[in-house]
Amino acid sequence: MNGYTEKSGNLLERIADLLADLMQTIFLVVLKPFVGLARVMSERLKNFLISASFFGIMVIIYLEHTNITSLILQHLPLPSVIKYVFFDLLGCVLMAVVAICSIQGPLQRKRCNAMMTLLWAGMCIFFIVSAIYTSLDWAAISIIFTLVFPCVYFIWNNRGDYGTLFCLVTKGLVSFNLVFFVLSVLFSPITGGQYRALFTNANSLGQYLTCTIPLFMMNYTLAWRKWEQKPRTASPVRPEWRHPGSLFRYAAFACRAHKGLLPSLLGLGTSVALIVFSRSRTALLAAAISFALWFVLNYIVAHWGEGIKAIALRAIKQILPMLLAVVICVPGTFWLVKGGTYAVYYYAAVNDLLPEEYAYLDPRLQGTKLDDAINAAMDRLDTEGKTADQVTTHRTLIWKAFADRVEPLGHERGKIYVHDYGVAATAHNCIIQILYDSGIFTALFYFAINVASGFRALLYYLRRRKGDPYAIFPVLLMPGYLVTSLLASSYPPFAYSIALVYWLVQAPLFEKKIREPEGLPESV
């Protein structure tokens, strides 16, 4: 008797099986024409298209946080209804590419975890009810959660090699991060205020960084694992302080030996540097909690049987390069941005290419120093003498204003006036935002699915950590999403990078039983 035909004795499990069977039947019918196409495509091409699709979704997410979206939509000859959900439609199309390219062999129905299935179904049902009863503004998010992501989950539940999915997601996002960083170095100068890079405000940059930190920590962990499995090569030169040439040759040898670690270290270092310059407390808190969780799971839990001394030595050996990367990258990023933007904007200014409203970006007028930027970040962390509303940048006022207007089935999309603050477009909190938009019942199921997925992600790590190098990935994404969701309305997956990755890593958590790995690949 296989895992699907095995009958459940529990009424709730039977209901969950019926719901899962209904959805999987729909997916099988929809995907049937594409199974043959997926078979004739090479794995290399499919993997490239999946990573490229995630890169494309990141571009959509970036555009959602800029003024470029309105400029694009103004010039598109589309009906206003389509324009309203245009970027959601693009995200769905790219996720369809991900789904088709993820198909590997015939698809069949899979038994799912009853708790996750029922909670997810409850959330989606009330999203749909709210969209029908209150406003069709919520139709797009209802479709995304009801059909788009469950379809991807279904396909990868059939495949089972979630490490490949996590690797491809990471490749797409890291590639975007590289392009984003280079363009920021060239076109976004550091001024006296909070650094925003290519975004329209520093909050958007901070929310983006809550995703990059765990991704680079994951890559760093994998790189260490691979390095430890390689045979050691003795250094051809012994470093001596009296001979500087030997030091450089030894450093070059060490870099070659640890070249797999360098991209992750540079990513971590530059991400921390951007947190400092943006003065984002959200990103800093998320990074601190992610690091603490990574430390506990990666050292204490994973190596508890080796003894405290061995754990301490392992931690010091792996954390010291991270600290060194931060020490180097903070000033390095500052001077890269200063130098890159100086070249671009100086050329624009002297050739009268800089519009008047951007004249303040003329590098000849900028005098920001590294010490000033670091001191400003430290000052922002000082909460002495400040009220909770001041510390949260008036979020408590916004939370109360939205919470006071909650209706059972939600509201139409719109802004509200907050006393002593002004007009607020969002609640700056996921649960309060869903309470306001889609009603009480949707928010209850949303809260429950997040609690359940947190426990399932921890269980996934504990059961698979000894053989699956990606086992830590789902649980490592939890702190970043938790912190961001408490301080921003960050649940839509095509509007926030942390939400995109967070909802994607739910895929293995829907498995009926989380089993120990059996020879999973470490990379694609």
Side-chain angles (χ1 to χ4, degrees), residues 58-93:
M58 285 301 301
V59 173
I60 293 172
I61 291 171
Y62 165 72
L63 293 176
E64 292 272 20
H65 290 266
T66 67
N67 298 324
I68 303 174
T69 50
S70 58
L71 295 175
I72 294 173
L73 295 177
Q74 284 176 6
H75 294 86
L76 286 177
L78 297 172
S80 58
V81 176
I82 301 298
K83 286 184 178 181
Y84 191 75
V85 294
F86 178 73
F87 288 102
D88 285 330
L89 288 174
L90 280 182
C92 290
V93 169

Side-chain angles (χ1 to χ4, degrees), residues 466-480:
K466 291 184 178 180
D468 183 358
Y470 287 91
I472 197 174
F473 196 63
V475 73
L476 195 59
L477 264 295
M478 298 291 167

Side-chain angles (χ1 to χ4, degrees), residues 78-204:
L78 297 172
S80 58
V81 176
I82 301 298
K83 286 184 178 181
Y84 191 75
V85 294
F86 178 73
F87 288 102
D88 285 330
L89 288 174
L90 280 182
C92 290
V93 169
L94 290 172
M95 285 297 289
V97 175
V98 170
I100 293 170
C101 293
S102 297
I103 297 173
Q104 194 178 60
L107 298 173
Q108 59 183 0
R109 294 177 181 87
K110 302 287 288 186
R111 289 284 303 281
C112 299
N113 179 265
M115 175 179 63
M116 294 291 290
T117 301
L118 291 173
L119 293 177
W120 189 277
M123 181 182 72
C124 292
I125 288 169
F126 282 105
F127 263 128
I128 295 170
V129 169
S130 178
I132 295 172
Y133 178 82
T134 306
S135 171
L136 289 177
D137 290 345
W138 316 124
I141 196 69
S142 302
I143 293 171
I144 290 168
F145 280 124
T146 304
L147 297 174
V148 177
F149 277 82
C151 182
V152 175
Y153 299 163
F154 168 63
I155 294 169
W156 284 93
N157 286 164
N158 268 266
R159 288 186 54 158
D161 55 332
Y162 300 106
T164 303
L165 173 63
F166 300 156
C167 180
L168 295 173
V169 172
T170 302
K171 282 184 178 179
L173 270 65
V174 168
S175 299
F176 173 84
N177 185 76
L178 177 61
V179 175
F180 174 82
F181 180 75
V182 171
L183 293 177
S184 296
V185 165
L186 294 175
F187 298 106
S188 184
I190 295 176
T191 59
Q194 291 178 256
Y195 187 62
R196 62 190 186 187
L198 296 177
F199 291 102
T200 53
N201 61 69
N203 285 339
S204 296

Side-chain angles (χ1 to χ4, degrees), residues 113 115-116 119 293 297 446-464 471-472 474-479 482 502 505-506 508-511 513-514:
N113 179 265
M115 175 179 63
M116 294 291 290
L119 293 177
L293 180 65
L297 296 179
Y446 167 83
F447 176 77
I449 193 70
N450 280 278
V451 173
S453 65
F455 282 108
R456 295 281 291 174
L458 183 59
L459 179 64
Y460 183 81
Y461 170 74
L462 293 175
R463 287 198 177 166
R464 299 177 65 86
I472 197 174
V475 73
L476 195 59
L477 264 295
M478 298 291 167
L482 172 64
Y502 175 77
V505 300
Q506 304 287 320
L509 310 184
F510 278 84
E511 289 270 15
K513 293 181 180 179
I514 297 175

Side-chain angles (χ1 to χ4, degrees), residues 281-293:
R281 290 174 295 197
T282 300
L284 180 61
L285 180 60
I289 298 176
S290 297
F291 177 81
L293 180 65

Side-chain angles (χ1 to χ4, degrees), residues 244-461:
S246 67
L247 295 176
F248 284 113
R249 288 194 296 273
Y250 182 79
F253 168 78
C255 288
R256 286 196 300 270
H258 297 81
K259 62 182 179 182
L261 303 174
L262 294 179
S264 302
L265 288 173
L266 289 174
L268 276 170
T270 53
S271 295
V272 172
L274 294 179
I275 290 176
V276 172
F277 302 141
S278 68
R279 308 173 205 167
S280 173
R281 290 174 295 197
T282 300
L284 180 61
L285 180 60
I289 298 176
S290 297
F291 177 81
L293 180 65
W294 174 78
F295 180 88
V296 171
L297 296 179
N298 198 48
Y299 298 111
I300 298 177
V301 175
H303 301 282
W304 181 250
E306 299 177 10
I308 295 177
K309 184 177 180 180
I311 291 174
L313 290 174
R314 178 183 291 271
I316 290 171
K317 183 173 65 174
Q318 295 185 11
I319 293 175
L320 275 179
M322 296 171 68
L323 296 176
L324 182 62
V326 170
V327 170
I328 293 173
C329 286
V330 169
T333 301
F334 180 86
W335 291 113
L336 269 177
V337 173
K338 294 286 281 188
T341 54
Y342 186 94
V344 172
Y345 285 95
Y346 180 80
Y347 177 83
V350 298
N351 289 280
D352 297 324
L353 300 175
L354 203 60
E356 287 187 13
E357 61 268 29
Y358 295 104
Y360 70 96
L361 295 176
D362 188 335
R364 293 170 293 185
L365 303 177
Q366 302 298 328
T368 307
K369 298 179 180 178
L370 177 60
D371 291 345
D372 296 336
I374 294 175
N375 290 334
M378 298 300 294
D379 291 340
R380 186 168 165 78
L381 297 177
D382 184 12
T383 60
E384 186 176 353
K386 295 180 180 179
T387 64
D389 190 57
Q390 291 172 327
V391 172
T392 60
T393 322
H394 305 297
R395 279 177 172 81
T396 55
L397 287 176
I398 300 172
W399 294 339
K400 185 177 185 303
F402 274 86
D404 289 343
R405 293 168 171 80
V406 168
E407 297 288 343
L409 293 176
H411 294 79
E412 294 182 358
R413 188 188 299 270
K415 302 176 182 179
I416 68 171
Y417 176 78
V418 181
H419 183 64
D420 290 336
Y421 173 79
V423 177
T426 68
H428 291 278
N429 179 285
C430 280
I431 294 177
I432 297 176
Q433 187 71 58
I434 295 175
L435 274 169
Y436 180 83
D437 290 343
S438 302
I440 297 170
F441 303 106
T442 313
L444 287 174
F445 277 103
Y446 167 83
F447 176 77
I449 193 70
N450 280 278
V451 173
S453 65
F455 282 108
R456 295 281 291 174
L458 183 59
L459 179 64
Y460 183 81
Y461 170 74

